[in-house]
Amino acid sequence: MSLFAQVQKRVGNFFLNAKFETGDETLSVLGASGAGKSLLLKCLAGIEKPDNGKIILNGRVLFDSETRIDLAPQKRSVGYLFQSCALFPNMTVFQNAVCAARDKDFAAHCLKNFGLAGKENLYPHMLSGGEKQRVALARLLASEPDALLFDEPFSALDSNRKSELERMILDLLEEKKRPSILVTHDRNEAFRLSKKISVMESGTLYEPMDKLDFFERPRTLSRAILGGCKNITRLEWNGGQSATALDWGMELSFSSVVPKNERKGFAGFRAHFFETGEKGGQNVFLCKIERVIEDAFSYVIYFRHDGFLGDSKSLLCWEVQKEVWKKIEPSLEQKKLFVKIDARRLMFLNKEGS
């Protein structure tokens, strides 16, 4: 099974430009609001018509601007789980599930599998948000599609209902094994539910990456930001063994020469990689604590290189477990601390497309 798409569409001043191919696995499309993620799904489903391009599912052409093929949504065998559920308000739960089903008994089976037995005669306004999403998921499965599209399916749910539905979708993806696209702005959802991740920025879809590479070696600024990297700085290289972190006010040194092709314009450092260090050690800096925020299981520490008067970008973020911070905090003098940046954990980054 495979899904190939190369589509372009202009809507006002916005231009969608996307190309990808995926097999019987889940590809997450990660991007900020307004990046064009939902528009891409609508083009795949046939709700929106691209200006140019081609969409092929399992060797069957769904859309081709050159040959003027444009199959209607109901003929594409593409299941679409909308963010808003998109249930018909004047239909019962069973009627919603069966409207796109090939077999009524199978639709009833899907409702039962999603814990909706006994609710078949209820209407959407009588259901909770999580129940509505389960009805929509049962309807999607009952249509027996060849590809699955998920448009931020958890965004309107509380954490408990979100976890429950996420498990259901994960079970569905593992069982059915068909091309699936998950649109989200949540990096953790993308990591849990997919094998590959692609970034969409201002309408452009960039090359998919293995999810581990996406987080450990993002290579570009937008991937690092969408992947949750909270500490990013512009770099000014001073030869091959040192660079100035302009936004942090620090001179970073490296144990060996960094090859020219690896010297990027930016660097990122993940918030949970900071360590305390000894004065005089490599990349150990005296830092001033500006704010400490208590989270449920950790502390978030905001600090800057002591004496560096930069803007908000100069504040670095350290996420540290509570038991670790409680050992560090009593020894602080004037809210100052020696912090180490391990150069091996720095991520060198370029702007997307450069």
Side-chain angles (χ1 to χ4, degrees):
M1 289 189 171
S2 65
L3 173 62
F4 169 82
Q6 182 175 8
V7 295
Q8 295 179 329
K9 183 174 179 63
R10 185 172 294 281
V11 181
N13 293 326
F14 184 84
F15 183 64
L16 173 69
N17 183 25
K19 180 181 179 181
F20 70 89
E21 184 169 9
T22 185
D24 56 352
E25 60 190 10
T26 303
L27 169 66
S28 282
V29 177
L30 196 60
S33 297
K37 306 185 300 295
S38 295
L39 180 59
L40 172 61
L41 292 192
K42 289 175 181 176
C43 288
L44 297 175
I47 298 170
E48 292 280 354
K49 182 179 178 180
D51 299 328
N52 296 290
K54 185 178 291 187
I55 302 169
I56 303 173
L57 175 60
N58 299 335
R60 191 166 60 99
V61 178
L62 308 185
F63 175 82
D64 189 334
S65 58
E66 290 186 1
T67 58
R68 298 186 178 181
I69 295 174
D70 184 17
L71 297 188
Q74 61 269 26
K75 293 183 178 181
R76 295 195 176 200
S77 192
V78 173
Y80 194 154
L81 186 64
F82 292 86
Q83 182 179 345
S84 62
C85 304
L87 301 179
F88 297 107
N90 59 334
M91 290 186 179
T92 65
V93 165
F94 181 74
Q95 289 169 337
N96 266 284
V98 81
C99 68
R102 299 177 185 178
D103 181 271
K104 289 185 179 181
D105 291 337
F106 183 60
H109 173 74
C110 292
L111 288 172
K112 183 179 179 180
N113 273 1
F114 288 111
L116 294 162
K119 298 182 184 291
E120 292 90 345
N121 295 321
L122 299 181
Y123 287 88
H125 74 272
M126 304 166 73
L127 304 175
S128 68
E131 288 171 335
K132 289 177 184 177
Q133 281 288 42
R134 280 187 276 149
V135 174
L137 195 55
R139 180 177 64 184
L140 177 148
L141 186 58
S143 69
E144 301 181 72
D146 293 329
L148 301 169
L149 309 178
F150 300 95
D151 191 355
E152 304 209 33
F154 316 113
S155 60
L157 303 178
D158 61 44
S159 58
N160 288 335
R161 290 194 178 106
K162 176 179 175 179
S163 296
E164 178 186 23
L165 187 65
E166 192 175 282
R167 288 195 303 272
M168 289 180 176
I169 289 180
L170 191 56
D171 289 343
L172 172 64
L173 294 172
E174 290 176 349
E175 178 189 352
K176 298 303 177 182
K177 293 193 182 301
R178 59 199 61 191
S180 306
I181 309 296
L182 170 70
V183 152
T184 181
H185 61 268
D186 187 318
R187 65 184 184 276
N188 294 319
E189 287 177 10
F191 189 89
R192 289 191 294 264
L193 291 168
S194 63
K195 291 185 177 180
K196 292 186 177 180
I197 298 175
S198 184
V199 165
M200 177 163 273
E201 187 174 31
S202 301
T204 298
L205 185 71
Y206 292 98
E207 182 183 1
M209 294 180 65
D210 176 85
K211 66 179 180 182
L212 291 176
D213 282 339
F214 181 88
F215 284 95
E216 294 175 8
R217 292 172 288 276
R219 299 201 297 268
T220 66
L221 196 58
S222 59
R223 286 174 184 166
I225 292 171
L226 287 169
C229 183
K230 296 181 175 63
N231 303 301
I232 293 176
T233 179
R234 295 166 295 156
L235 288 182
E236 185 176 273
W237 288 88
N238 310 313
Q241 283 192 259
S242 69
T244 303
L246 298 174
D247 297 304
W248 301 342
M250 300 172 176
E251 295 291 327
L252 299 171
S253 59
F254 310 101
S255 57
S256 59
V257 174
V258 177
K260 285 187 177 181
N261 64 330
E262 294 181 19
R263 299 177 202 171
K264 312 300 184 184
F266 298 84
F269 194 80
R270 295 210 176 268
H272 53 279
F273 285 159
F274 286 109
E275 307 170 48
T276 57
E278 296 292 331
K279 182 179 180 180
Q282 186 182 49
N283 294 331
V284 175
F285 306 95
L286 181 62
C287 297
K288 187 174 188 304
I289 308 298
E290 298 288 346
R291 181 176 289 275
V292 177
I293 298 175
E294 184 176 10
D295 209 342
F297 303 104
S298 62
Y299 284 98
V300 181
I301 316 299
Y302 288 96
F303 63 93
R304 71 171 79 237
H305 189 196
D306 188 43
F308 181 61
L309 301 177
D311 58 18
S312 60
K313 292 180 181 179
S314 66
L315 283 180
L316 290 145
C317 177
W318 180 16
E319 294 180 14
V320 57
Q321 294 298 309
K322 283 190 172 180
E323 59 270 22
V324 175
W325 182 248
K326 285 178 179 177
K327 292 177 182 178
I328 295 171
E329 192 173 26
S331 63
L332 294 180
E333 294 183 11
Q334 298 180 335
K335 294 187 176 182
K336 293 184 180 182
L337 175 70
F338 283 101
V339 176
K340 178 181 178 181
I341 295 178
D342 187 340
R344 294 170 299 178
R345 293 187 179 274
L346 280 169
M347 301 180 293
F348 298 128
L349 311 165
N350 271 332
K351 284 190 175 180
E352 201 79 59
S354 62

